[in-house]
Amino acid sequence: SRCTMGRAMGLAGLLLGLVVVPAVLVSTSLRHGAPRTEAEPEPSGWELAAADAVPEDSLWPLPQWVRMYSRQLQLAPSRFQLVHGAGSSAGPGCGLLQDAFRRYYEYMFGHSRRRTRGRRPLAARAEPELFQLQVVIEAGDPGCDRHPQLTSSEAYHLTVTEPVAILKAYEVWGALRGLETFSQLVHEDDYGSFLVNESEINDFPRFAHRGVLLDTSRHYLPLKSILTNLDAMAFNKFNVLHWHIVDDQSFPYQSIYFPALSDKGAYSSNLIYTPTDVRLVIEYARLRGIRVIPEFDTPGHTQSWGKGQKDLLTPCYNGGQPTGSFGPVNPVWNTTYDFMTKFFKEISSVFPDEFIHLGGDEVDFSCWKSNPEVKEFMKKQGFGTDYAKLESYYVQNILDIVSSYNKGQMVWQEVFDHKAQLKPDTVVQVWMANNYAHELSSVTGAGFTTVLSAPWYLDYISYGQDWKKYYSVEPLNFLGSEKQKKLVIGGEACLWGEFVDATNLTPRLWPRASAVGERLWSSSNVTNLQDAYKRLTNHRCRML
Amino acid sequence: AENEPSWETPCYELLVYVSTPGCDGFPSLDSKESYKLSVSKGSMLLSAETVWGALRGLETFSQLVGRDENGTYYINETEIVDFPRFPHRGLLLDTSRHYLPLRAILETLDVMAYNKFNVFHWHIVDDPSFPYESSTFPELSKQGAFNAMTHVYTASDVRTVIEYARLRGIRVIAEFDTPGHTLSWGPGAPGLLTPCYMGKAPSGVYGPINPIVNSTYQFVTSLFQEVSTVFPDFFLHLGGDEVDFTCWKSNPEIRAFMKEMGFGEDYKKLESFYIQRLLHIVSSLGKGYIVWQEVFDNDVKLRPDTIIHVWKENSMQYLNEMANVTRAGYRALLSAPWYLNRISYGQDWIAAYKVEPLNFAGSPEQKALVMGGEACMWGEYVDVTNLTPRLW
């Protein structure tokens, strides 16, 4: 649950970092009206000059355009309502917004005891009262029952003035973003009154694809972990959950067509995701405007697939004999493609997003090289000794299969680097840290859309305030034309699971991922670390 | 099924035999923690010299009990003779950089017991906050805590920690670090800290404890009188690390004092002056003390039974320090390679495990002066939301 912005928490939050903010930052807006407590201790240098939280000091990510006025309005939890506004194409039948209204009411007032009618008379305070936030969806089809897409509109316009505030958005996705922002504007003063400054906000994301990768193969993540993470993502306006669901170590995805995959490949029978679990994740995400892109990484990273699917992986050889161990998916057998055709048919129907991530990273060629059938195939195809060509041959077949189900594909950069023939709308995910700017130039130079992850491998922990280095990344800092830069559709913070499970996921991912969230949403000129520090510490406290 | 175990006589009881009484006492540096565990057909016996050894043996016993696929609990015939290599096996928690609620401390004590740690080094106050509620000086936490209502340890809280620890054979050694690391003491104890100067006038900023005024020593005496009563362990940790001399240098009264005392420009002598008086005060209160290595490095005159806490890590220099400290005849505690707050990617437990505390050039008598060590979890980036997975 979210905590209130008491000074104690603010101080504690500020001290999360070592940087001592030497002076109160001059802000263009005036402080809110609550008086500073009297008996200010002597300025001893010990007490950090912690300004009372100025309203925009806790907006995260920072909206594109904010105008804050000094006039404040008060909200009464027992009376304040989030409602559909007149002229909105969405109404009470819009489950997504109904759910959001209730959720955001809880975030703002949940801990308050004054949710039922109070005994104090109406005119107790000087400030005018804000009675409602009206949400108006402008598009003919608001999108209530649909799933968010790459092209969805997340823009919103928020006007906070008495007696009602108006949140306008083209589609419901923008309304969700606006509700999050509105909830960040409402603050409690020292006396427990809920206040919000008159303000106007115009906002939209800089990048359309803002994701978090979770790895549920290296360690199983219980549903609760995933759902908590989706909540945190919504606080930070992330809109893609890249679910790296299976890998070498385990296969927790319970397949309908191939139940043996998880029967034999999961860590144990209770460490799986049933179809119900998967639907729950997808719907929970949808209600927060978050797309779920599953990744079924092949041909490498597939050891666990071989447990439940005989004759899928390549048998490795040594001196003419099978060793008993297996390598990547076998690209030369027809049965492989029969399997993949059926498997991806299921995946395409289970996961509603337009895109499926097909992996394609870190394929180790040594097993293929040892296998006589594979060697024979290489000869027949005229690939020589270039196994990258064999990999591309395989990948192209999978791309075709997935395409035939009308799904777009995302792949890791090796697929592009090894010169496979991609579809024109294949998205290439750049993850190798070494000289990634150069890779961005190459990928976009070849006309492909790209998602950046290389500088944002959050599993690589280190001592101190590493959020700053994630925040300081500028995704478009590479050599390329304007047209090329437009092909960068966003990025993803990755939390690989080798050293992560439910016992440490949340504190490891947050609030570090928040830095990435702002980088992907806010304007490119929002780069001031001191200002970010102030807002991030407040935001972190609120997320708790 | 292959290899069906033959269940022998079911075991009904673990008999615990303790030869020396002492259930109601506190563990100490000299406590014997050895035990013998014997599990055989029809009899399970845990014998120890003291209750502390019995606690260690119970933990081991609990680790031996297994459960098969049918849910049956079993234990193999076993003989164990066990005792700790080092008598001081500690963990430092920092409740000043971030307040840790009582439950976090108690949970940590539980996990310490699982791992046979026997010292909780409570770095309770420091620059950022003063959460310790003092009965003699209530203003210290009133003014110095992050929030005097919610972010403090009351006398009752402290008693709870001490007793919870005792029941697990864990000593609680409190650290009231002075003269540096004391900014949070200032608001509640006006006149205690040195006013820094900017030229001729006070700058409004404060530095370490003011070592030249009598009021300082009166204050310190009273505070440590209380602390000595509240914390039953024989040892107190007095800190003494990282004293920044800049503020002292800027203060004209202090400069005058330096001249008067013939200290020249050597502010280490002023630091020693303070520390020596502090040690004397604490000694007369009947307590022993542990100090950070600077106190030794800066040539302060120490009592022979002082324990030096080695913490500075700079490409294995700590081994030299261990040699120097023990060569001078002092007992030593090692923490330098065990700063667990300094996280890094991967299986960093391996580097901590590989440390050999006695890997320094020295005689067997020197090596015998190494009492043990402490894993430190400094709190700059740690609070209740991430303490447990970061530490364990």
Side-chain angles (χ1 to χ4, degrees):
Chain A
S1 70
R2 294 169 153 209
C3 63
T4 51
M5 279 308 307
R7 282 178 71 213
M9 292 304 273
L11 272 173
L14 277 165
L15 287 158
L16 262 177
L18 288 177
V19 176
V20 174
V21 181
V24 175
L25 282 173
V26 176
S27 150
T28 50
S29 73
L30 302 172
R31 292 159 164 229
H32 66 74
R36 252 204 126 124
T37 50
E38 69 299 310
E40 217 168 310
E42 256 181 70
S44 62
W46 160 78
E47 185 184 357
L48 302 179
D52 287 313
V54 186
E56 70 264 29
D57 275 0
S58 61
L59 291 177
W60 193 282
L62 193 68
Q64 302 291 342
W65 189 93
V66 182
R67 181 153 293 167
M68 209 68 101
Y69 301 97
S70 53
R71 189 151 177 269
Q72 288 180 105
L73 310 171
Q74 58 169 333
L75 298 86
S78 58
R79 285 188 290 277
F80 182 78
Q81 293 186 323
L82 300 160
V83 297
H84 302 279
S88 176
S89 58
C94 179
L96 181 144
L97 284 182
Q98 293 297 122
D99 192 68
F101 290 166
R102 190 179 49 181
R103 185 166 70 249
Y104 278 98
Y105 177 92
E106 272 302 312
Y107 287 151
M108 292 188 287
F109 308 116
H111 58 277
S112 159
R113 269 180 253 214
R114 302 220 122 277
R115 298 205 282 167
T116 48
R117 198 155 290 276
R119 277 173 294 180
R120 293 251 310 276
L122 199 69
R125 272 193 76 114
E127 286 89 350
E129 186 169 333
L130 184 71
F131 290 95
Q132 286 182 340
L133 171 68
Q134 294 182 353
V135 177
V136 178
I137 307 299
E138 293 165 324
D141 175 4
C144 293
D145 301 315
R146 292 202 270 98
H147 287 88
Q149 302 174 332
L150 181 63
T151 50
S152 295
S153 166
E154 295 176 280
Y156 65 91
H157 185 97
L158 181 61
T159 320
V160 180
T161 186
E162 61 149 333
V164 298
I166 314 265
L167 169 59
K168 280 203 184 105
Y170 190 63
E171 294 179 328
V172 291
W173 320 113
L176 290 176
R177 305 299 168 234
L179 282 168
E180 176 58 40
T181 301
F182 179 77
S183 76
Q184 297 185 1
L185 292 171
V186 175
H187 55 279
E188 235 179 307
D189 70 3
D190 284 352
Y191 304 96
S193 298
F194 293 96
L195 301 171
V196 65
N197 283 50
E198 281 201 325
S199 43
E200 204 187 332
I201 292 182
N202 207 352
D203 201 11
F204 55 88
R206 179 181 175 201
F207 292 103
H209 181 119
R210 307 178 305 285
V212 168
L213 179 151
L214 286 186
D215 169 1
T216 58
S217 172
R218 275 59 181 263
H219 283 93
Y220 178 79
L221 294 177
L223 220 50
K224 184 157 153 225
S225 270
I226 300 177
L227 300 184
T228 300
N229 198 63
L230 286 167
D231 280 331
M233 285 170 66
F235 298 155
N236 292 272
K237 294 190 170 69
F238 276 99
N239 66 355
V240 173
L241 171 66
H242 173 164
W243 193 351
H244 187 89
I245 187 168
V246 299
D247 203 298
D248 281 328
Q249 285 84 348
S250 73
F251 196 106
Y253 172 74
Q254 188 177 57
S255 161
I256 303 154
Y257 288 155
F258 301 101
L261 285 171
S262 60
D263 278 349
K264 296 281 187 333
Y267 279 132
S268 76
S269 52
N270 60 334
L271 298 182
I272 60 170
Y273 303 107
T274 64
T276 308
D277 293 335
V278 173
R279 274 196 294 273
L280 178 55
V281 170
I282 293 171
E283 179 62 5
Y284 199 91
R286 188 188 79 85
L287 292 175
R288 287 154 183 74
I290 298 171
R291 302 163 54 200
V292 177
I293 300 181
E295 177 183 347
F296 287 90
D297 192 352
T298 70
H301 286 280
T302 45
Q303 288 298 299
S304 66
W305 299 52
K307 306 251 160 64
Q309 184 67 16
K310 288 261 148 312
D311 303 330
L312 177 68
L313 304 183
T314 312
C316 310
Y317 276 67
N318 194 346
Q321 290 304 315
T323 62
S325 61
F326 298 88
V329 171
N330 194 321
V332 318
W333 289 335
N334 285 335
T335 47
T336 293
Y337 302 104
D338 293 337
F339 167 83
M340 290 298 173
T341 302
K342 199 152 180 226
F343 185 76
F344 278 104
K345 180 168 187 218
E346 173 184 322
I347 301 308
S348 301
S349 93
V350 167
F351 291 91
D353 197 81
E354 298 170 305
F355 283 83
I356 299 180
H357 200 302
L358 304 175
D361 60 315
E362 299 181 313
V363 183
D364 182 352
F365 296 149
S366 39
C367 185
W368 282 350
K369 285 180 183 167
S370 75
N371 183 296
E373 274 185 80
V374 174
K375 285 205 292 258
E376 180 62 39
F377 185 82
M378 287 286 287
K379 224 184 194 164
K380 261 207 312 221
Q381 295 284 323
F383 290 158
T385 49
D386 189 356
Y387 282 79
K389 293 201 162 97
L390 180 59
E391 178 195 304
S392 298
Y393 166 86
Y394 167 84
V395 169
Q396 273 152 217
N397 281 333
I398 304 302
L399 290 176
D400 282 341
I401 289 169
V402 171
S403 249
S404 72
Y405 296 124
N406 278 325
K407 292 290 191 185
Q409 315 88 33
M410 278 185 74
V411 291
W412 295 109
Q413 67 180 74
E414 287 99 316
V415 172
F416 167 83
D417 296 342
H418 295 166
K419 305 195 188 353
Q421 183 121 338
L422 305 175
K423 307 285 175 208
D425 57 352
T426 306
V427 180
V428 177
Q429 188 162 8
V430 173
W431 69 271
M432 291 173 155
N434 196 13
N435 207 354
Y436 66 84
H438 181 257
E439 181 74 6
L440 288 174
S441 298
S442 306
V443 171
T444 55
F448 293 105
T449 45
T450 182
V451 161
L452 179 63
S453 282
W456 291 322
Y457 264 36
L458 302 197
D459 54 315
Y460 286 155
I461 60 172
S462 59
Y463 179 68
Q465 293 195 64
D466 56 356
W467 71 271
K468 291 184 180 175
K469 89 176 165 213
Y470 303 132
Y471 191 78
S472 302
V473 171
E474 174 36 66
L476 302 188
N477 243 5
F478 63 92
L479 292 170
S481 64
E482 276 314 295
K483 193 154 168 248
Q484 271 177 264
K485 309 247 165 151
K486 285 202 170 63
L487 292 173
V488 179
I489 55 172
E492 288 185 1
C494 298
L495 193 72
W496 294 102
E498 284 86 347
F499 302 104
V500 175
D501 67 9
T503 67
N504 65 356
L505 185 141
T506 301
R508 188 162 289 199
L509 189 53
W510 307 100
R512 291 156 79 227
S514 300
V516 181
E518 177 155 298
R519 180 51 51 233
L520 293 172
W521 177 283
S522 304
S523 163
S524 60
N525 60 16
V526 177
T527 53
N528 183 301
L529 283 170
Q530 267 104 302
D531 183 65
Y533 177 81
K534 211 162 21 110
R535 288 182 293 108
L536 185 56
T537 46
N538 290 335
H539 179 60
R540 183 242 180 196
C541 175
R542 177 174 51 224
M543 286 202 284
L544 290 177
Chain B
E2 78 259 15
N3 293 353
E4 270 282 354
S6 58
W7 298 123
E8 299 285 0
T9 324
C11 326
Y12 289 112
E13 47 191 20
L14 170 70
L15 288 174
V16 180
Y17 178 79
V18 175
S19 51
T20 321
C23 293
D24 303 320
F26 285 91
S28 73
L29 181 59
D30 310 312
S31 296
K32 300 263 178 301
E33 297 174 277
S34 55
Y35 65 92
K36 286 198 175 77
L37 191 53
S38 179
V39 176
S40 58
K41 182 149 68 158
S43 131
M44 301 192 294
L45 178 64
L46 163 60
S47 60
E49 226 184 287
T50 69
V51 292
W52 318 117
L55 290 176
R56 304 300 169 235
L58 283 169
E59 174 60 40
T60 302
F61 179 79
S62 75
Q63 296 184 4
L64 292 170
V65 177
R67 208 171 177 193
D68 70 10
E69 323 82 70
N70 302 323
T72 310
Y73 293 96
Y74 67 88
I75 186 169
N76 282 42
E77 275 196 28
T78 317
E79 286 293 317
I80 291 183
V81 174
D82 199 9
F83 56 87
R85 180 182 176 199
F86 292 105
H88 183 121
R89 306 177 306 282
L91 192 79
L92 178 152
L93 284 187
D94 169 1
T95 57
S96 174
R97 275 55 181 265
H98 283 93
Y99 179 77
L100 291 175
L102 205 57
R103 67 172 198 275
I105 298 177
L106 300 184
E107 185 177 88
T108 302
L109 289 168
D110 278 333
V111 191
M112 283 171 67
Y114 302 155
N115 290 272
K116 295 190 170 71
F117 276 99
N118 66 354
V119 174
F120 170 41
H121 174 166
W122 194 348
H123 187 91
I124 187 167
V125 298
D126 201 299
D127 282 329
S129 75
F130 196 105
Y132 171 74
E133 236 180 40
S134 161
S135 49
T136 323
F137 301 106
E139 287 299 302
L140 284 172
S141 60
K142 263 217 199 122
Q143 307 281 346
F146 282 135
N147 179 313
M149 290 289 99
T150 58
H151 289 50
V152 289
Y153 302 107
T154 61
S156 159
D157 291 338
V158 173
R159 276 196 298 272
T160 301
V161 169
I162 293 171
E163 179 62 4
Y164 201 88
R166 188 187 77 86
L167 292 173
R168 287 152 182 76
I170 298 171
R171 301 161 56 200
V172 178
I173 298 183
E175 178 184 349
F176 285 84
D177 192 352
T178 68
H181 286 281
T182 45
L183 288 181
S184 68
W185 302 43
L192 178 69
L193 303 183
T194 310
C196 311
Y197 274 65
M198 184 88 99
K200 296 257 169 49
S203 65
V205 169
Y206 294 85
I209 286 186
N210 193 331
I212 71 175
V213 288
N214 281 335
S215 51
T216 287
Y217 300 100
Q218 278 155 15
F219 171 87
V220 161
T221 303
S222 302
L223 180 67
F224 278 95
Q225 215 151 38
E226 173 187 319
V227 167
S228 300
T229 330
V230 169
F231 292 93
D233 197 82
F234 174 69
F235 285 93
L236 284 176
H237 200 302
L238 304 179
D241 61 315
E242 299 181 312
V243 184
D244 184 354
F245 296 147
T246 349
C247 187
W248 283 351
K249 286 180 183 170
S250 76
N251 183 298
E253 286 178 50
I254 293 198
R255 281 205 304 274
F257 184 82
M258 288 285 288
K259 212 169 183 181
E260 212 184 291
M261 300 295 289
F263 289 162
E265 285 299 307
D266 190 358
Y267 281 80
K268 282 199 203 153
K269 295 207 163 91
L270 182 60
E271 183 191 333
S272 298
F273 173 81
Y274 166 83
I275 299 265
Q276 255 146 239
R277 290 182 70 171
L278 170 67
L279 297 183
H280 182 78
I281 290 168
V282 173
S283 277
S284 35
L285 291 167
K287 292 290 197 189
Y289 38 76
I290 309 176
V291 289
W292 295 110
Q293 69 179 75
E294 285 97 317
V295 174
F296 168 80
D297 296 342
N298 294 351
D299 295 316
V300 179
K301 190 138 156 274
L302 299 170
R303 245 181 28 184
D305 61 351
T306 311
I307 299 185
I308 310 292
H309 201 159
V310 177
W311 69 271
K312 289 181 163 176
E313 158 64 319
N314 193 1
S315 28
M316 306 284 272
Q317 281 307 303
Y318 67 85
L319 289 169
N320 286 347
E321 181 75 1
M322 295 292 279
N324 294 341
V325 166
T326 52
R327 194 179 318 116
Y330 298 107
R331 289 179 292 180
L333 284 179
L334 181 61
S335 280
W338 290 323
Y339 265 37
L340 303 191
N341 54 309
R342 299 203 141 256
I343 59 173
S344 59
Y345 178 69
Q347 296 195 62
D348 53 357
W349 69 273
I350 296 178
Y353 192 79
K354 283 193 169 153
V355 171
E356 175 35 68
L358 302 187
N359 234 8
F360 59 90
S363 65
E365 292 75 38
Q366 267 178 266
K367 308 224 169 168
L369 291 173
V370 178
M371 296 287 97
E374 292 187 359
C376 298
M377 185 48 77
W378 294 103
E380 284 87 348
Y381 302 105
V382 175
D383 67 10
V384 70
T385 65
N386 64 357
L387 172 72
T388 300
R390 190 162 288 202
L391 193 47
W392 305 102

